[in-house]
Amino acid sequence: MADWSQLPKELLEEIAKRLESPFYLLRFRSVCSSWRSSVSSRPRRLPGRFPFLTNHGICDTTLGFHLSQRTVFLMGLPNFRNQTNPDRWLVKIEEDVPGRMHLLNPLSRFQLKPLPESFPKVLDLSKFWVYELGGEYVLHYVHFRPFGNGNSFGDAGNLYMEKVVFMCLGSESNDFVLLTIHVSGKLAMFKSEDKRWTIIHDMPSPYDDVILFKGQFYAVDGTGRTVIVGLHSNLIVVANPVFGGDKKFLVESSGELLVVDMYLSMAAETDLDVDDEIIQLQFNGCLTERTVRFKVFKLDREGKRLVEMKSLGDRVLFLGDDCTFSVSASELSGCKGNCIFFTDNFFYTSGEDEGVFKGRDIGVFDLDDGSIAPLSDYPEYSKLFWPPPDWIAPTQVQSQFEELAL
């Protein structure tokens, strides 16, 4: 049997360079003493404060933002592959100050609370099977306390509400770039070496989403026009428009870049496959939009087009407020492939029995038959989100969440 502790230091360093996640790097260093010594434990800290990105597009030099990172994990018992029907738990984690973590709804900006009384105060990730599905970066206003004073809306009130993507320029460099969507619908870029925001004025139609895919920034606008965003604020069109839906999402799935087109409606439409018993909600006299269907496209860079996909196969897509991700249905408990999980105002929950998922709820769209329904209609799917599995509670051991940043 091979002695893994004797691998050459040069090879271990090359392996570690490819582990972009702090969590995976932590586990790499925990294998044995030689692996631990091969990789520095010096943490890569997120950048400090940023200037405001003002509504009129001119960069304010006031340092009004700070950046935090959130990670979506899929958790299970370590011997889950030997179990007939292993439970999984999907959760998002944010570290607001070193060593203090918060649990959030994996598809929204809201904190999970109250937690069950049996939920442990500390959690040792080394005791579980853990798979990192995705991550997101959020800009907080500096003088806002994100989780303090019993704020029932989590930290939503303190955020710059558009999605933010982050790129580190090299493993040995502290330089970085942020890309987001300005309130005007234009793209906005922050480069650490410039110390200011730059508005990219090329905008035939307002942008809907941004993503970091294979080391490059991508953006898609409301028509489906998809571009690569260069570090010099230059745009390269990689797919022409596909008109139709109301909101576009970018998702990485099995090494491919997908564009998901969400269709919204303000009124019931009998020609769409929507349950007749669903009634249009009304808040303060105003109708709310609801999601009625999706189309999924795959980027064909050579053809400079988006190709519609009739099936996702075994894949399941998750469309969140600040991140998107995909996973094989075989890794989930009780889920089938070819589905999309998403947040929607129409599936609004307000009863006490809904607990931590008050407000915008999660919907499920099945590409096989075009059906769409709230998560609560799928008990097996619901267990993936809430409540935490029974096997979480007995874990009363020292937390390693505080070591995620190494």
Side-chain angles (χ1 to χ4, degrees):
M1 181 180 293
D3 185 355
W4 295 103
S5 66
Q6 299 303 312
L7 287 178
K9 187 174 187 294
E10 296 77 12
L11 179 58
L12 293 174
E13 290 174 348
E14 287 299 315
I15 295 172
K17 286 179 182 178
R18 288 161 172 78
L19 299 176
E20 298 180 357
S21 164
F23 173 73
Y24 290 148
L25 197 55
L26 171 64
R27 286 208 158 174
F28 176 89
R29 297 184 71 244
S30 68
V31 170
C32 61
S33 59
S34 62
W35 286 37
R36 179 184 269 291
S37 63
S38 69
V39 181
S40 171
S41 62
R42 181 173 58 87
R44 177 188 289 278
R45 294 296 180 187
L46 287 177
R49 296 185 177 185
F50 299 85
F52 277 122
L53 181 57
T54 58
N55 288 349
H56 49 76
I58 300 174
C59 180
D60 191 328
T61 56
T62 304
L63 298 178
F65 286 142
H66 74 89
L67 188 71
S68 69
Q69 183 179 8
R70 297 169 173 176
T71 307
V72 179
F73 291 108
L74 183 64
M75 299 177 59
L77 288 171
N79 61 342
F80 76 93
R81 297 194 187 278
N82 297 325
Q83 300 174 17
T84 305
N85 187 25
D87 286 336
R88 301 283 191 281
W89 190 37
L90 191 63
V91 66
K92 182 160 59 180
I93 299 169
E94 178 179 21
E95 181 181 28
D96 62 342
V97 297
R100 187 175 67 186
M101 300 291 175
H102 298 282
L103 306 182
L104 296 92
N105 181 325
L107 296 187
S108 79
R109 303 177 176 106
F110 297 102
Q111 188 182 5
L112 296 180
K113 62 181 183 180
L115 293 171
E117 291 184 2
S118 60
F119 197 88
K121 299 297 183 184
V122 292
L123 204 59
D124 185 351
L125 288 184
S126 69
K127 304 298 182 182
F128 304 105
W129 174 86
V130 179
Y131 181 32
E132 183 174 324
L133 293 179
E136 65 191 37
Y137 293 86
V138 291
L139 289 170
H140 297 266
Y141 293 109
V142 168
H143 297 299
F144 192 97
R145 294 178 59 85
F147 297 102
N149 302 323
N151 180 9
S152 62
F153 290 99
D155 66 337
N158 81 316
L159 294 183
Y160 173 76
M161 297 302 287
E162 297 294 344
K163 183 176 177 180
V164 179
V165 285
F166 174 91
M167 181 194 300
C168 182
L169 301 179
S171 58
E172 303 299 326
S173 171
N174 290 322
D175 289 332
F176 65 91
V177 183
L178 295 178
L179 183 69
T180 187
I181 301 173
H182 185 253
V183 67
S184 64
K186 299 175 182 178
L187 298 173
M189 180 178 288
F190 183 93
K191 298 173 70 174
S192 58
E193 61 182 4
D194 295 339
K195 296 183 175 59
R196 63 183 178 88
W197 291 97
T198 299
I199 303 296
I200 302 174
H201 292 285
D202 184 337
M203 187 192 68
S205 179
Y207 285 93
D208 275 351
D209 200 7
V210 291
I211 196 172
L212 180 65
F213 175 69
K214 294 185 176 180
Q216 292 182 299
F217 287 136
Y218 285 75
V220 64
D221 68 18
T223 70
R225 175 178 175 265
T226 307
V227 299
I228 293 176
V229 185
L231 298 183
H232 298 290
S233 302
N234 55 305
L235 302 182
I236 302 171
V237 178
V238 293
N240 292 312
V242 285
F243 298 94
D246 299 283
K247 181 174 175 57
K248 309 292 191 295
F249 296 85
L250 293 168
V251 190
E252 180 176 1
S253 181
S254 298
E256 301 280 0
L257 185 60
L258 309 184
V259 174
V260 181
D261 202 1
M262 172 187 279
Y263 286 72
L264 303 172
S265 176
M266 293 294 291
E269 297 185 27
T270 57
D271 59 327
L272 298 177
D273 296 330
V274 181
D275 191 336
D276 291 337
E277 295 181 1
I278 294 179
I279 301 173
Q280 188 76 27
L281 289 183
Q282 187 171 359
F283 299 102
N284 298 323
C286 298
L287 291 175
T288 183
E289 290 181 323
R290 63 181 175 90
T291 305
V292 292
R293 64 173 173 175
F294 290 90
K295 286 187 177 180
V296 182
F297 300 86
K298 180 172 66 174
L299 174 64
D300 174 10
R301 282 201 60 180
E302 291 186 4
K304 208 172 181 180
R305 64 194 182 117
L306 297 175
V307 180
E308 186 173 358
M309 300 176 66
K310 298 302 182 182
S311 174
L312 298 171
D314 181 54
R315 304 301 292 183
V316 180
L317 305 185
F318 294 82
L319 310 180
D321 288 338
D322 294 297
C323 75
T324 60
F325 53 93
S326 73
V327 65
S328 167
S330 63
E331 301 289 358
L332 305 175
S333 53
C335 292
K336 63 182 288 292
N338 210 26
C339 288
I340 299 174
F341 288 79
F342 62 98
T343 55
D344 190 271
N345 287 326
F346 181 68
F347 301 129
Y348 188 86
T349 59
S350 58
E352 290 299 322
D353 58 327
E354 302 296 343
V356 297
F357 284 97
K358 287 184 179 180
R360 296 171 69 221
D361 202 357
I362 296 171
V364 183
F365 179 76
D366 189 333
L367 272 74
D368 284 330
D369 58 15
S371 63
I372 191 166
L375 181 66
S376 57
D377 283 8
Y378 300 91
E380 287 300 312
Y381 295 5
S382 297
K383 291 194 299 184
L384 184 64
F385 294 87
W386 193 259
D390 293 339
W391 43 260
I392 288 286
T395 314
Q396 303 284 353
V397 289
Q398 182 177 2
S399 173
Q400 287 191 353
F401 277 157
E402 62 194 56
E403 298 181 48
L404 284 178
L406 294 183

